Amino acid sequence: MNVQFLWVYPVKSLAGIRVEALDLDDFGPAHDRRWMLVDDNGRFVTQRTHPELAKIKTSLAAGEVGVEIPGYGSFALEPTERRLEAKVWGDQVNTVLGAEEANAAVSAFCQRSLRFVFMPEDSFRQIDPDYVTSRRRVGFADGYPLLIANQASLEELNGRLRDPVEMRRFRPNVVVSGFTAWQEDHWRELSVGTVRLSLAKPCSRCVMTTVDPEVGVKDSDGQPLKTLSGYRRQKEGVIFGMNAIHQSRGCLSVGDPVSVIA
């Protein structure tokens, strides 16, 4: 059992980057979802309402985040000195606005006024206190620093679909292999290389899983969410993957051994 793939998502709801290693800092994977898009009310915007965001590529070099917006060019995301109270789910977060050039380009691409915002070090967003009582922070991810997915579970799901889907639909940080399908339902703690991960809760899935990451369009039949709903519905919702928290800083690498502790 080992790590098969690793992904980082520098901007919430934009395309991710497959990497060979993930450094873990206080927020989670370094640079993961420290940027996001908001509307004129400061509320977060995702592929749920704008599936075309999947087509915006991201880059990460020496800690600098870039975006490539189809038809408009490439831009470095640069924080300004302007502050904004942004809303992500039920949380109010103190953020820093991004530079106007990238904001204008993404607004033109989505045909809606949008702005990039950055979560600085002096901002703190608490992980869901219903599941985590310790004082732990998270960036703009939906709720937890890490998402763990099992390759065997995707293969089992694809066996039920007319058109198989890629793991990218589910936007995991860590994809593990060598386990049986849905074995992750019973995990509570994993050892990944030298890092221990606590699995807080199953990850409930939404309409974003129906967005084809290549073309930024939702599946007309609602797949794969429709099929998942038929046999993967639990009290938390329609489940694929596990939300996780790292117990310490460290580094995860492709090929790292994975062991179930509990």
Side-chain angles (χ1 to χ4, degrees):
M1 288 79 80
N2 55 43
V3 174
Q4 184 171 6
F5 301 116
L6 293 168
W7 290 83
V8 63
Y9 306 90
V11 184
K12 184 178 181 68
S13 230
L14 303 193
I17 305 168
R18 206 171 106 185
V19 295
E20 291 298 309
L22 281 181
D23 288 321
L24 301 176
D25 61 20
D26 199 34
F27 288 89
H31 312 294
D32 190 78
R33 284 170 275 216
R34 294 285 295 276
W35 287 90
M36 74 174 179
L37 287 163
V38 299
D39 61 17
D40 287 340
N41 295 316
R43 182 152 186 85
F44 76 118
V45 173
T46 73
Q47 292 179 35
R48 294 170 179 85
T49 55
H50 287 271
E52 67 272 19
L53 292 175
K55 295 193 292 183
I56 301 180
K57 296 179 180 179
T58 59
S59 61
L60 185 59
E64 300 297 319
V65 176
V67 294
E68 183 181 333
I69 302 174
Y72 295 90
S74 298
F75 304 86
L77 295 187
E78 301 174 346
T80 65
E81 295 182 355
R82 294 173 294 163
R83 293 276 179 156
L84 177 73
E85 283 290 314
K87 304 169 189 173
V88 53
W89 296 113
D91 299 325
Q92 295 273 17
V93 184
N94 185 15
T95 71
V96 178
L97 282 166
E100 187 54 38
E101 188 179 15
N103 296 339
V106 76
S107 296
F109 176 70
C110 291
Q111 300 183 6
R112 178 183 180 185
S113 178
L114 299 174
R115 291 175 286 178
F116 287 99
V117 294
F118 175 72
M119 183 183 290
E121 290 288 336
D122 62 7
S123 184
F124 184 89
R125 180 178 173 227
Q126 173 67 38
I127 297 175
D128 188 346
D130 289 339
Y131 292 89
V132 179
T133 57
S134 59
R135 181 173 168 81
R136 293 293 304 272
R137 77 195 316 180
V138 64
F140 291 128
D142 279 353
Y144 296 86
L146 291 152
L147 177 63
I148 313 297
N150 180 359
Q151 181 66 26
S153 298
L154 176 68
E155 293 168 1
E156 193 278 340
L157 168 62
N158 277 335
R160 299 169 180 257
L161 298 175
R162 182 187 63 190
D163 299 310
V165 298
E166 296 181 62
M167 186 64 87
R168 285 191 297 165
R169 296 277 186 126
F170 299 96
R171 298 176 69 84
N173 296 107
V174 182
V175 180
V176 299
S177 62
F179 297 94
T180 59
W182 314 118
Q183 192 174 347
E184 65 272 24
D185 291 348
H186 309 288
W187 297 341
R188 294 297 173 264
E189 187 174 338
L190 293 180
S191 171
V192 182
T194 61
V195 178
R196 288 200 175 190
L197 305 178
S198 298
L199 278 64
K201 64 179 287 292
C203 184
S204 58
R205 310 317 301 231
C206 69
V207 69
M208 271 184 62
T209 60
T210 71
V211 177
D212 184 333
E214 284 296 324
V215 296
V217 175
K218 292 178 182 176
D219 183 86
S220 60
D221 195 33
Q223 297 292 4
L225 189 61
K226 181 178 180 180
T227 294
L228 274 176
S229 299
Y231 74 115
R232 290 291 297 164
R233 187 174 293 279
Q234 301 178 10
K235 64 179 182 179
E236 294 87 356
V238 179
I239 301 304
F240 188 100
M242 297 291 289
N243 293 302
I245 303 163
H246 51 305
Q247 295 185 8
S248 65
R249 295 183 180 225
C251 182
L252 308 178
S253 299
V254 170
D256 275 350
V258 178
S259 301
V260 179
I261 306 299

